[in-house]
Coordinates of all heavy atoms in Angstrom, one line a residue:
M1 N -10.6 0.0 8.2 CA -10.3 -0.4 6.8 C -9.0 -1.3 6.8 O -8.2 -1.3 7.6 CB -10.0 0.9 6.0 CG -8.7 1.6 6.3 SD -8.6 3.1 5.3 CE -6.9 3.0 4.7
R2 N -9.0 -2.1 5.7 CA -7.9 -3.0 5.5 C -7.3 -2.8 4.1 O -8.0 -2.8 3.2 CB -8.3 -4.4 5.8 CG -7.2 -5.4 5.6 CD -7.6 -6.8 6.0 NE -6.6 -7.8 5.6 CZ -5.5 -8.1 6.3 NH1 -5.3 -7.5 7.5 NH2 -4.6 -8.9 5.9
I3 N -6.0 -2.7 4.0 CA -5.3 -2.6 2.8 C -4.8 -4.0 2.3 O -4.2 -4.7 3.1 CB -4.0 -1.7 2.9 CG1 -4.4 -0.3 3.5 CG2 -3.3 -1.5 1.6 CD1 -4.9 0.7 2.5
E4 N -5.0 -4.3 1.1 CA -4.4 -5.5 0.5 C -3.6 -5.2 -0.7 O -4.0 -4.3 -1.5 CB -5.6 -6.5 0.2 CG -6.2 -7.0 1.5 CD -7.4 -7.9 1.2 OE1 -7.8 -8.1 0.1 OE2 -7.9 -8.5 2.2
A5 N -2.5 -5.9 -0.9 CA -1.7 -5.7 -2.1 C -1.5 -7.0 -2.8 O -1.4 -8.1 -2.2 CB -0.3 -5.2 -1.7
N6 N -1.6 -6.9 -4.1 CA -1.4 -8.1 -5.0 C 0.0 -8.0 -5.6 O 0.3 -7.3 -6.6 CB -2.4 -8.2 -6.1 CG -2.3 -9.4 -7.0 OD1 -1.3 -10.1 -6.9 ND2 -3.2 -9.6 -7.8
P7 N 1.0 -8.7 -5.0 CA 2.4 -8.6 -5.5 C 2.6 -9.0 -6.9 O 3.5 -8.6 -7.6 CB 3.2 -9.5 -4.5 CG 2.2 -10.3 -3.7 CD 0.8 -9.7 -3.9
A8 N 1.7 -9.9 -7.4 CA 1.8 -10.3 -8.8 C 1.5 -9.2 -9.8 O 1.9 -9.3 -11.0 CB 0.9 -11.5 -9.1
V9 N 0.8 -8.2 -9.4 CA 0.4 -7.1 -10.2 C 1.3 -5.9 -10.1 O 1.5 -5.1 -11.0 CB -1.1 -6.7 -10.0 CG1 -1.5 -5.5 -10.7 CG2 -2.0 -7.9 -10.3
C10 N 1.9 -5.7 -8.9 CA 2.7 -4.6 -8.6 C 3.9 -4.4 -9.6 O 4.5 -5.4 -9.9 CB 3.3 -4.7 -7.2 SG 4.5 -3.4 -6.7
I11 N 4.1 -3.2 -10.1 CA 5.2 -3.0 -11.1 C 6.3 -2.2 -10.4 O 7.3 -1.8 -11.1 CB 4.7 -2.2 -12.3 CG1 4.0 -0.9 -11.9 CG2 3.7 -3.1 -13.1 CD1 3.7 0.0 -13.1
G12 N 6.3 -2.1 -9.1 CA 7.4 -1.5 -8.3 C 7.6 0.0 -8.6 O 8.7 0.5 -8.4
A13 N 6.5 0.7 -9.0 CA 6.6 2.1 -9.3 C 6.9 3.0 -8.1 O 7.5 4.1 -8.2 CB 5.4 2.6 -10.0
G14 N 6.5 2.6 -6.9 CA 6.8 3.3 -5.7 C 6.0 4.4 -5.3 O 6.2 5.1 -4.3
Q15 N 4.9 4.7 -6.0 CA 4.0 5.8 -5.6 C 3.4 5.6 -4.2 O 3.3 6.6 -3.5 CB 2.9 6.0 -6.6 CG 3.2 6.9 -7.8 CD 3.7 6.0 -8.9 OE1 4.2 4.9 -8.7 NE2 3.5 6.5 -10.1
C16 N 3.1 4.4 -3.9 CA 2.5 4.1 -2.6 C 3.5 4.4 -1.5 O 3.1 5.0 -0.5 CB 2.1 2.6 -2.5 SG 3.4 1.4 -2.8
V17 N 4.8 4.1 -1.7 CA 5.8 4.4 -0.6 C 6.0 5.9 -0.5 O 6.1 6.4 0.6 CB 7.1 3.7 -0.9 CG1 8.1 4.0 0.1 CG2 6.8 2.2 -1.0
M18 N 6.0 6.6 -1.6 CA 6.2 8.1 -1.5 C 5.0 8.7 -0.9 O 5.1 9.7 -0.2 CB 6.4 8.6 -2.9 CG 7.8 8.3 -3.5 SD 8.1 9.1 -5.0 CE 7.5 7.9 -6.2
T19 N 3.8 8.2 -1.1 CA 2.6 8.8 -0.6 C 2.3 8.5 0.9 O 1.9 9.3 1.6 CB 1.4 8.4 -1.5 OG1 1.7 8.7 -2.8 CG2 0.1 9.1 -1.1
A20 N 2.6 7.2 1.2 CA 2.3 6.8 2.6 C 3.4 5.9 3.1 O 3.3 4.7 3.2 CB 1.0 6.0 2.6
P21 N 4.6 6.5 3.4 CA 5.8 5.7 3.8 C 5.6 4.9 5.1 O 6.4 4.0 5.2 CB 6.9 6.8 3.9 CG 6.2 8.1 4.0 CD 4.8 7.9 3.4
D22 N 4.7 5.3 5.9 CA 4.5 4.5 7.1 C 3.6 3.3 6.9 O 3.6 2.4 7.7 CB 3.9 5.3 8.2 CG 4.9 6.4 8.7 OD1 6.1 6.2 8.6 OD2 4.4 7.4 9.2
V23 N 3.0 3.2 5.8 CA 2.0 2.1 5.5 C 2.7 1.1 4.5 O 2.4 -0.1 4.6 CB 0.7 2.7 4.9 CG1 -0.2 1.6 4.6 CG2 0.1 3.7 5.9
F24 N 3.5 1.7 3.5 CA 4.0 0.8 2.5 C 5.5 0.8 2.5 O 6.1 1.8 2.8 CB 3.5 1.3 1.1 CG 2.0 1.2 1.0 CD1 1.3 2.4 1.1 CD2 1.3 0.1 0.7 CE1 -0.1 2.4 1.0 CE2 -0.1 0.0 0.6 CZ -0.8 1.2 0.8
D25 N 6.1 -0.3 2.0 CA 7.5 -0.4 1.8 C 7.7 -1.2 0.5 O 6.7 -1.6 -0.1 CB 8.2 -1.1 3.0 CG 9.7 -0.7 3.0 OD1 10.2 -0.1 2.1 OD2 10.3 -1.1 4.0
Q26 N 8.9 -1.3 0.0 CA 9.2 -2.1 -1.2 C 10.3 -3.1 -0.8 O 11.3 -2.7 -0.1 CB 9.6 -1.2 -2.3 CG 8.5 -0.4 -2.9 CD 9.0 0.6 -3.9 OE1 9.5 1.7 -3.5 NE2 8.9 0.3 -5.2
R27 N 10.2 -4.3 -1.4 CA 11.2 -5.3 -1.2 C 12.5 -4.8 -1.8 O 12.5 -4.3 -2.9 CB 10.8 -6.6 -1.8 CG 9.5 -7.2 -1.2 CD 9.3 -8.7 -1.6 NE 9.2 -9.0 -3.0 CZ 8.4 -9.8 -3.5 NH1 7.6 -10.5 -2.7 NH2 8.4 -10.1 -4.8
D28 N 13.6 -5.1 -1.2 CA 14.9 -4.7 -1.7 C 15.2 -5.3 -3.0 O 15.8 -4.7 -3.9 CB 16.0 -5.0 -0.7 CG 16.0 -4.1 0.5 OD1 15.4 -3.0 0.5 OD2 16.5 -4.6 1.6
E29 N 14.9 -6.6 -3.2 CA 15.3 -7.3 -4.3 C 14.6 -6.9 -5.6 O 15.2 -7.0 -6.7 CB 15.3 -8.8 -4.1 CG 13.9 -9.4 -3.8 CD 13.5 -9.4 -2.3 OE1 14.0 -8.5 -1.6 OE2 12.7 -10.2 -1.9
D30 N 13.3 -6.6 -5.6 CA 12.6 -6.3 -6.8 C 11.6 -5.2 -6.7 O 10.9 -4.9 -7.7 CB 11.9 -7.6 -7.2 CG 10.9 -8.1 -6.2 OD1 10.7 -7.4 -5.2 OD2 10.4 -9.3 -6.3
A31 N 11.7 -4.4 -5.6 CA 10.9 -3.2 -5.5 C 9.4 -3.5 -5.4 O 8.6 -2.6 -5.4 CB 11.1 -2.2 -6.6
V32 N 9.0 -4.8 -5.2 CA 7.6 -5.1 -5.1 C 7.1 -4.6 -3.7 O 7.8 -4.7 -2.7 CB 7.3 -6.6 -5.3 CG1 6.0 -7.0 -4.8 CG2 7.5 -6.9 -6.8
V33 N 5.9 -4.2 -3.7 CA 5.3 -3.6 -2.5 C 5.2 -4.6 -1.3 O 5.0 -5.8 -1.5 CB 3.9 -3.0 -2.8 CG1 2.9 -4.1 -3.2 CG2 3.3 -2.2 -1.7
V34 N 5.4 -4.0 -0.1 CA 5.1 -4.7 1.1 C 4.2 -3.8 1.9 O 4.5 -2.6 2.1 CB 6.5 -4.9 1.9 CG1 6.2 -5.5 3.3 CG2 7.4 -5.8 1.1
V35 N 3.2 -4.3 2.4 CA 2.2 -3.5 3.3 C 2.7 -3.6 4.7 O 2.7 -4.7 5.3 CB 0.8 -4.0 3.2 CG1 -0.1 -3.1 4.0 CG2 0.4 -4.0 1.7
R36 N 3.2 -2.5 5.2 CA 3.7 -2.5 6.6 C 2.6 -2.4 7.6 O 2.7 -2.9 8.7 CB 4.7 -1.3 6.8 CG 5.9 -1.3 5.9 CD 6.7 0.0 6.0 NE 7.2 0.1 7.4 CZ 7.6 1.3 7.9 NH1 7.5 2.4 7.2 NH2 8.0 1.3 9.1
Q37 N 1.6 -1.7 7.2 CA 0.4 -1.6 8.1 C -0.9 -1.9 7.4 O -1.5 -1.0 6.8 CB 0.3 -0.1 8.6 CG 1.3 0.4 9.6 CD 0.8 1.7 10.2 OE1 -0.2 1.8 11.0 NE2 1.4 2.8 9.7
P38 N -1.3 -3.1 7.4 CA -2.6 -3.5 6.7 C -3.8 -2.7 7.2 O -4.7 -2.4 6.5 CB -2.7 -5.0 6.9 CG -1.4 -5.4 7.3 CD -0.7 -4.3 8.0
R39 N -3.7 -2.4 8.5 CA -4.8 -1.6 9.1 C -4.2 -0.3 9.6 O -3.9 -0.2 10.8 CB -5.5 -2.3 10.2 CG -6.3 -3.5 9.7 CD -7.0 -4.2 10.9 NE -7.9 -5.3 10.4 CZ -7.6 -6.5 10.2 NH1 -6.3 -6.9 10.4 NH2 -8.5 -7.4 9.8
P40 N -4.1 0.7 8.7 CA -3.5 2.0 9.2 C -4.3 2.7 10.3 O -5.5 2.6 10.3 CB -3.5 2.8 7.9 CG -3.8 1.9 6.8 CD -4.5 0.8 7.4
G41 N -3.5 3.3 11.2 CA -4.1 4.1 12.2 C -4.6 5.4 11.7 O -4.4 5.7 10.5
P42 N -5.3 6.2 12.5 CA -6.0 7.4 12.1 C -5.0 8.4 11.5 O -5.3 9.1 10.5 CB -6.5 8.0 13.4 CG -6.7 6.8 14.3 CD -5.6 5.8 13.9
A43 N -3.7 8.4 11.9 CA -2.7 9.3 11.4 C -2.3 9.0 10.0 O -1.9 9.9 9.2 CB -1.5 9.3 12.3
D44 N -2.5 7.7 9.6 CA -2.0 7.3 8.2 C -3.2 7.0 7.3 O -2.9 6.6 6.1 CB -1.1 6.1 8.4 CG 0.1 6.4 9.1 OD1 0.8 7.4 8.8 OD2 0.5 5.6 10.1
E45 N -4.4 7.1 7.8 CA -5.5 6.6 6.9 C -5.7 7.4 5.6 O -5.9 6.8 4.6 CB -6.8 6.6 7.8 CG -7.8 5.6 7.3 CD -9.0 5.6 8.2 OE1 -8.9 5.2 9.4 OE2 -10.1 5.9 7.7
A46 N -5.6 8.7 5.7 CA -5.9 9.5 4.5 C -4.8 9.2 3.5 O -5.1 9.1 2.3 CB -5.9 11.0 4.9
A47 N -3.5 9.2 3.9 CA -2.4 8.9 3.0 C -2.6 7.5 2.4 O -2.3 7.3 1.2 CB -1.1 9.1 3.7
A48 N -3.0 6.6 3.2 CA -3.1 5.2 2.7 C -4.2 5.2 1.6 O -4.0 4.5 0.6 CB -3.5 4.3 3.8
R49 N -5.3 5.8 1.8 CA -6.4 5.9 0.8 C -5.9 6.5 -0.5 O -6.2 6.1 -1.6 CB -7.6 6.7 1.3 CG -8.4 5.9 2.3 CD -9.6 6.8 2.8 NE -10.2 6.3 3.9 CZ -11.1 5.3 3.9 NH1 -11.4 4.7 2.8 NH2 -11.6 4.8 5.1
E50 N -5.2 7.6 -0.3 CA -4.6 8.3 -1.5 C -3.7 7.4 -2.3 O -3.7 7.3 -3.5 CB -3.9 9.6 -1.0 CG -3.4 10.5 -2.2 CD -2.7 11.7 -1.8 OE1 -2.5 11.9 -0.5 OE2 -2.1 12.4 -2.7
A51 N -2.9 6.7 -1.6 CA -1.9 5.8 -2.2 C -2.6 4.7 -3.0 O -2.2 4.3 -4.1 CB -1.0 5.1 -1.2
V52 N -3.7 4.1 -2.4 CA -4.4 3.1 -3.2 C -5.0 3.7 -4.5 O -4.9 3.0 -5.5 CB -5.6 2.6 -2.3 CG1 -6.5 1.7 -3.1 CG2 -5.0 1.8 -1.1
G53 N -5.4 4.9 -4.4 CA -5.9 5.6 -5.7 C -4.9 5.9 -6.7 O -5.1 5.9 -7.9
L54 N -3.7 6.1 -6.2 CA -2.6 6.5 -7.1 C -1.8 5.3 -7.7 O -1.1 5.5 -8.8 CB -1.5 7.4 -6.3 CG -2.0 8.8 -6.0 CD1 -0.9 9.4 -5.1 CD2 -2.2 9.6 -7.2
C55 N -1.9 4.2 -7.2 CA -1.2 3.0 -7.7 C -1.5 2.8 -9.2 O -2.6 2.6 -9.6 CB -1.5 1.8 -6.9 SG -0.7 0.3 -7.6
P56 N -0.5 2.9 -10.0 CA -0.7 2.8 -11.5 C -1.1 1.4 -12.0 O -1.6 1.3 -13.1 CB 0.6 3.3 -12.1 CG 1.6 3.0 -11.1 CD 0.9 3.1 -9.7
S57 N -0.8 0.4 -11.2 CA -1.1 -1.0 -11.7 C -2.3 -1.6 -11.1 O -2.7 -2.7 -11.5 CB 0.1 -1.8 -11.3 OG 0.2 -2.1 -9.9
G58 N -3.0 -0.9 -10.2 CA -4.1 -1.5 -9.5 C -3.8 -2.6 -8.6 O -4.7 -3.5 -8.3
A59 N -2.6 -2.6 -8.1 CA -2.2 -3.7 -7.2 C -2.7 -3.5 -5.8 O -2.7 -4.5 -5.0 CB -0.6 -3.7 -7.1
L60 N -3.2 -2.4 -5.4 CA -3.7 -2.1 -4.1 C -5.2 -2.1 -4.0 O -5.8 -1.5 -4.9 CB -3.1 -0.8 -3.5 CG -1.6 -0.7 -3.5 CD1 -1.2 0.7 -3.1 CD2 -1.0 -1.7 -2.6
S61 N -5.7 -2.6 -3.0 CA -7.2 -2.5 -2.8 C -7.5 -2.2 -1.3 O -6.6 -2.4 -0.5 CB -7.9 -3.8 -3.3 OG -7.4 -4.9 -2.6
L62 N -8.7 -1.8 -1.1 CA -9.0 -1.3 0.2 C -10.4 -1.8 0.6 O -11.3 -1.8 -0.3 CB -9.1 0.2 0.1 CG -9.1 1.1 1.3 CD1 -8.6 2.5 0.9 CD2 -10.5 1.2 1.9
R63 N -10.5 -2.4 1.7 CA -11.7 -3.0 2.2 C -12.2 -2.3 3.5 O -11.4 -2.2 4.4 CB -11.5 -4.5 2.4 CG -12.8 -5.3 2.6 CD -12.6 -6.8 2.3 NE -11.3 -7.4 2.7 CZ -11.2 -8.0 3.9 NH1 -12.1 -8.0 4.7 NH2 -10.0 -8.5 4.2
E64 N -13.4 -1.8 3.5 CA -13.9 -1.2 4.7 C -14.4 -2.4 5.6 O -14.9 -3.3 5.2 CB -15.1 -0.3 4.4 CG -14.7 0.8 3.5 CD -13.7 1.8 4.0 OE1 -13.4 1.8 5.2 OE2 -13.1 2.6 3.2
E65 N -14.1 -2.2 6.9 CA -14.4 -3.3 7.8 C -15.5 -2.9 8.8 O -15.6 -1.7 9.1 CB -13.2 -3.8 8.6 CG -12.1 -4.3 7.7 CD -10.9 -4.8 8.5 OE1 -10.3 -3.9 9.2 OE2 -10.6 -6.0 8.4
Ligands
SF4_101 S1 2.2 2.1 -6.3 FE1 1.4 0.2 -6.9 S2 2.7 -0.5 -8.5 FE2 3.8 1.0 -7.3 S3 5.0 -0.1 -5.7 FE3 3.0 0.6 -4.9 S4 1.7 -1.2 -5.2 FE4 3.4 -1.5 -6.5

């Protein structure tokens, strides 16, 4: 699977970072999401999926490969 983020839509709420801190981070200057692991390994996959579902702005999407 591959995670994609749309920074233009992200509102910097941070749920993704709280849910999957190894997969997501936020920029220091404006809290916009940064995807640290676009293809999460098995240990982070479930948390990454959960984070995509929790994002309040719909900035995150997930593509099965
Ligand atoms: S949960 Fe969504 S809106 Fe919040 S920082 Fe992550 S991508 Fe941005």
Side-chain angles (χ1 to χ4, degrees):
M1 71 186 226
R2 180 176 170 82
I3 305 275
E4 289 175 355
N6 182 350
V9 173
C10 173
I11 57 172
Q15 275 92 332
C16 56
V17 179
M18 286 186 270
T19 307
D22 291 335
V23 178
F24 301 99
D25 201 352
Q26 287 171 282
R27 298 196 300 220
D28 289 338
E29 61 272 29
D30 55 9
V32 164
V33 66
V34 174
V35 182
R36 299 174 62 199
Q37 286 194 74
R39 292 183 170 88
D44 295 311
E45 206 175 297
R49 284 182 195 279
E50 188 182 354
V52 171
L54 287 174
C55 174
S57 70
L60 302 177
S61 59
L62 194 158
R63 189 156 44 89
E64 303 296 344
E65 298 183 301

